[in-house]
Amino acid sequence: MHCMRDLILFPRKTRFWWRPSMTTSFLNGERAVVLFFICRILYSLPFSLLFHGLALSLLSLSSFFLEISFDSSNSPSLFRTRPGASSGILLGAVTLPSLFLSKLVQLSRGFSLAQLQLEEIQYLTLQYWATSASACSVIFLLAFARRRAPLSPFHWGVRFSLCSIFFQALVSVAALSTTSQIGLHPALKLMWAFCHGLASVKLIQLFLRTFPSCASIGETFLVTSGIVLYFGDMLLLTIKKLHELLMSSELVTAEYEISRSEISIIIQGLVLGLLLYPIALKYILQIWEWSINTTSAEARRYYEIGKSLMFVASLGIVLIMIVPSWMQFVHEFQMHPFFWVLSFVLSEPSKRLTLCIYWVCIICVSVFRFYNISKNSKIERILLRKYYHLMAVSMFLPALIFQPKFLDLAFGAALAIFLMLEIIRVWRIWPLGQPINQFMNAFTDHRDSDLLIVSHFSLLLGCALPIWMSTGYNDRPLAPFAGILSLGIGDTMASMVGHKYGVLRWSKTGKKTVEGTAAGITSVLAACSLLLPLFASTGYILTQHWFSLLLAVTVSGLLEAHTAQLDNAFIPLFFFSLLCL
């Protein structure tokens, strides 16, 4: 316990770890699927997004060649990553920029129909260039680290990667200098993108050293880029409010306006507050440990009780005072944000309270049932984990159809609870830390570790992110269902059918089978064929063509079959991006 805590408190110094050689071809299954995905997005771009597409192409080339260099190398690597996984650099680098570019394609259709304002496209464009800058900076860091690794020849892939990154930087600078986003000066836009890149570089270094062997480079790429983007958005909201307070109302133009709903502000404040909270908790517990002599058993017991009390007190201050203060600063709440949540739930008690009771019943029955099965049954752990995917479908699908706004809020609350439970588990906060750790370890797989368990986070965010990203203009009714369909139905059916009936394997070393992939694709198409008539019966004008839907489902299914990365994190974002086109 103390070793794990000390590792989190004091990150390891930079050192080189020997990474075994991985036999890779120039174009394996994962790379082929990702490159086809990029080509599909580029094919759908309007002329107004030409520079965006060029930047994405150069980013794809640089990450593609760098991944080949990493995976074919016998030399030491700068970071110790998750065993058994490829580097995943290509997949991690292009996922978020592709997601925002697909969303820009969707919004451009709405703007041409005069169904949304130009400011929405401008703000999303700024987000796209921020994610591109993050990816470009991290690729440069990895290429430089690959070049400086001992016994490492200057691989030709590194040369191509550095050249592509250089041209991408030129394209990004030219685009940011010649376009207007939310009223910012071109120099400020360039500085904004540069800060995102620098923050991503620092955060990915910190993450890989603090949590060794917990994730691949691509998985860490996705997580750190998303966190930096989310914090950047929070900072931009704060700057906007300060700008309104310091400048006269006549000088605050509508072009600078960034509208947010109360639900999105509450989710953002909760999540970012809980992500920052462990930094404060570390120093609080350090001070407490220095003030207590824990040599005797009696003193150790009082130390654990005091640590728990300090945890509860500090967490209460963060959630009741600090986080709500920021929420009320950036948004005009008429009451305390938590009272607003209570009034929102009680505004339709017959529907929302009933839904809450339904969720609690499903969670209680499923958790205790599956936990007992995991201890007493010989059922393989992979099948037990897929039962939770089916549980997610039964919980989220009815709510998304009948109460989408309430589901947004529920996802944020669930993510906040998961973060608090993970903090309690990692720090072993008495009396829940050890029981939570035992329970969570009953459902882990090779992608989890005792230091960091990510499976439940990836499943929740995989279902939630497509729904959150669909807020506002959305002419693709299936896009919000991307996570539920791909993980709850497609991934579950692929695993179950492949495990029981699969014979033809996609590769000699992998476990994914052709039969499982076919079952996953077929099941998602069947679910879509049931949902689309339901939307049509409610008067929704359908604009999703069956060919593009078939292409989206197939590409997502093939990615699940070939990727060695955390599929719960990447597949929903891929599926959502393709559905937006």
Side-chain angles (χ1 to χ4, degrees):
M1 178 184 73
H2 296 291
C3 293
M4 181 177 62
R5 187 196 62 193
D6 292 339
L7 181 61
I8 295 176
L9 292 179
F10 310 105
R12 301 183 180 207
K13 295 181 179 180
T14 303
R15 64 185 66 181
F16 290 93
W17 300 96
W18 187 266
R19 178 165 45 83
S21 174
M22 300 183 66
T23 303
T24 59
S25 61
F26 183 79
L27 190 66
N28 57 26
E30 180 182 299
R31 294 174 193 155
V33 172
V34 175
L35 292 179
F36 182 84
F37 167 76
I38 297 298
C39 293
R40 174 71 179 96
I41 293 176
L42 296 178
Y43 177 78
S44 305
L45 293 181
F47 183 76
S48 59
L49 299 177
L50 180 62
F51 275 108
H52 305 66
L54 180 58
L56 181 62
S57 301
L58 292 171
L59 175 62
S60 303
L61 288 175
S62 61
S63 55
F64 176 78
F65 290 122
L66 187 62
E67 180 178 297
I68 293 174
S69 175
F70 263 74
D71 290 347
S72 61
S73 173
N74 290 319
S75 61
S77 177
L78 181 61
F79 303 108
R80 188 169 63 179
T81 56
R82 177 163 59 84
S86 59
S87 63
I89 295 174
L90 173 62
L91 185 60
V94 304
T95 297
L96 281 184
S98 300
L99 174 67
F100 282 101
L101 190 53
S102 298
K103 191 66 180 177
L104 279 172
V105 173
Q106 184 184 46
L107 293 187
S108 65
R109 293 195 300 267
F111 181 71
S112 63
L113 298 175
Q115 295 183 2
L116 53 83
Q117 300 296 320
L118 179 62
E119 290 77 24
E120 297 181 52
I121 297 180
Q122 291 176 335
Y123 180 70
L124 194 65
T125 301
L126 186 63
Q127 298 288 72
Y128 169 77
W129 289 116
T131 57
S132 297
S134 297
C136 181
S137 302
V138 175
I139 290 295
F140 180 80
L141 166 72
L142 296 174
F144 185 76
R146 173 75 177 87
R147 181 184 180 186
R148 293 294 299 273
L151 306 179
S152 175
F154 197 21
H155 193 271
W156 60 270
V158 179
R159 298 177 185 272
F160 278 102
S161 177
L162 290 173
C163 291
S164 300
I165 282 295
F166 174 74
F167 286 113
Q168 184 202 353
L170 293 179
V171 171
S172 300
V173 169
L176 285 170
S177 301
T178 56
T179 57
S180 174
Q181 284 96 21
I182 59 173
L184 295 177
H185 189 274
L188 292 178
K189 292 182 289 184
L190 291 172
M191 181 62 67
W192 185 255
F194 175 79
C195 290
H196 275 76
L198 181 62
S200 296
V201 166
K202 295 297 183 181
L203 187 59
I204 196 170
Q205 288 178 305
L206 176 64
F207 190 95
L208 286 172
R209 294 169 189 165
T210 307
F211 303 103
S213 303
C214 291
S216 68
I217 294 178
E219 293 162 357
T220 312
F221 214 134
L222 179 66
V223 172
T224 53
S225 298
I227 290 176
V228 168
L229 185 70
Y230 211 39
F231 270 99
D233 185 70
M234 176 184 182
L235 179 61
L236 191 61
L237 286 173
T238 307
I239 293 174
K240 167 188 172 292
K241 189 63 179 182
L242 290 172
H243 181 267
E244 291 177 352
L245 293 176
L246 297 175
M247 305 293 291
S248 62
S249 58
E250 292 81 6
L251 296 178
V252 179
T253 62
E255 190 180 19
Y256 191 78
E257 185 66 29
I258 308 170
S259 61
R260 289 290 189 279
S261 67
E262 290 86 353
I263 292 176
S264 64
I265 293 294
I266 289 172
I267 295 173
Q268 193 167 17
L270 272 178
V271 172
L272 296 182
L274 288 171
L275 287 175
L276 290 173
Y277 170 68
I279 300 176
L281 180 64
K282 177 185 69 173
Y283 294 107
I284 292 172
L285 295 185
Q286 276 183 344
I287 296 172
W288 175 247
E289 188 170 2
W290 289 337
S291 64
I292 297 289
N293 184 7
T294 59
T295 55
S296 65
E298 185 71 14
R300 187 69 192 172
R301 186 167 65 89
Y302 283 120
Y303 166 76
E304 293 296 334
I305 295 175
K307 184 173 73 170
S308 301
L309 293 176
M310 297 188 72
F311 167 78
V312 173
S314 59
L315 183 62
I317 292 173
V318 169
L319 296 183
I320 298 176
M321 297 178 59
I322 299 177
V323 168
S325 298
W326 176 82
M327 297 177 187
Q328 291 178 308
F329 177 75
V330 299
H331 194 84
E332 296 297 333
F333 283 93
Q334 301 300 322
M335 60 186 76
H336 193 282
F338 289 160
F339 288 123
W340 185 94
V341 171
L342 185 61
S343 64
F344 176 77
V345 174
L346 296 177
S347 62
E348 295 184 24
S350 60
K351 296 180 180 178
R352 292 169 181 168
L353 288 180
T354 302
L355 195 58
C356 289
I357 296 172
Y358 170 68
W359 285 341
V360 170
C361 292
I362 289 182
I363 291 173
C364 291
V365 172
S366 301
V367 166
F368 290 113
R369 175 62 177 166
F370 294 159
Y371 184 58
N372 291 331
I373 291 176
S374 68
K375 293 191 301 182
N376 305 321
S377 175
K378 295 183 179 179
I379 297 178
E380 292 196 22
R381 186 168 293 187
I382 185 174
L383 297 181
L384 287 174
R385 290 162 56 86
K386 299 309 172 185
Y387 291 149
Y388 279 101
H389 288 227
L390 294 176
M391 184 184 76
V393 174
S394 63
M395 290 177 61
F396 303 147
L397 190 59
L400 182 54
I401 295 175
F402 299 109
Q403 284 288 322
K405 290 185 178 180
F406 182 58
L407 183 61
D408 286 349
L409 184 62
F411 273 133
L415 182 57
I417 292 172
F418 280 0
L419 287 171
M420 286 188 286
L421 292 177
E422 187 66 8
I423 293 172
I424 293 172
R425 187 194 71 84
V426 169
W427 292 91
R428 297 295 195 270
I429 302 296
W430 180 86
L432 298 178
Q434 190 61 33
I436 291 175
N437 184 62
Q438 292 176 354
F439 177 82
M440 296 300 298
N441 283 325
F443 301 98
T444 57
D445 67 359
H446 63 281
R447 291 168 293 196
D448 295 305
S449 66
D450 187 62
L451 189 61
L452 191 64
I453 298 178
V454 298
S455 295
H456 55 304
F457 285 105
S458 62
L459 177 59
L460 180 69
L461 288 174
C463 294
L465 285 176
I467 299 174
W468 289 341
M469 289 293 295
S470 299
T471 303
Y473 176 78
N474 179 37
D475 61 344
R476 296 290 190 259
L478 289 175
F481 294 84
I484 298 174
L485 291 173
S486 60
L487 297 182
I489 297 178
D491 186 38
T492 302
M493 292 301 298
S495 296
M496 290 184 172
V497 173
H499 179 76
K500 295 195 69 174
Y501 306 106
V503 176
L504 302 175
R505 298 190 182 276
W506 284 105
S507 66
K508 296 180 180 180
T509 58
K511 297 181 179 180
K512 304 296 179 65
T513 63
V514 176
E515 293 86 352
T517 302
I521 294 173
T522 304
S523 62
V524 174
L525 288 174
C528 293
S529 65
L530 295 176
L531 286 174
L532 288 176
L534 178 62
F535 293 132
S537 64
T538 59
Y540 201 108
I541 300 176
L542 301 179
T543 57
Q544 186 83 58
H545 300 291
W546 273 103
F547 177 75
S548 62
L549 176 60
L550 175 63
L551 197 62
V553 174
T554 303
V555 171
S556 302
L558 291 175
L559 179 65
E560 190 276 336
H562 289 99
T563 185
Q565 308 301 308
L566 188 60
D567 50 3
N568 287 0
F570 288 101
I571 294 173
L573 300 182
F574 260 57
F575 192 28
F576 175 81
S577 301
L578 292 170
L579 288 176
C580 288
L581 300 177

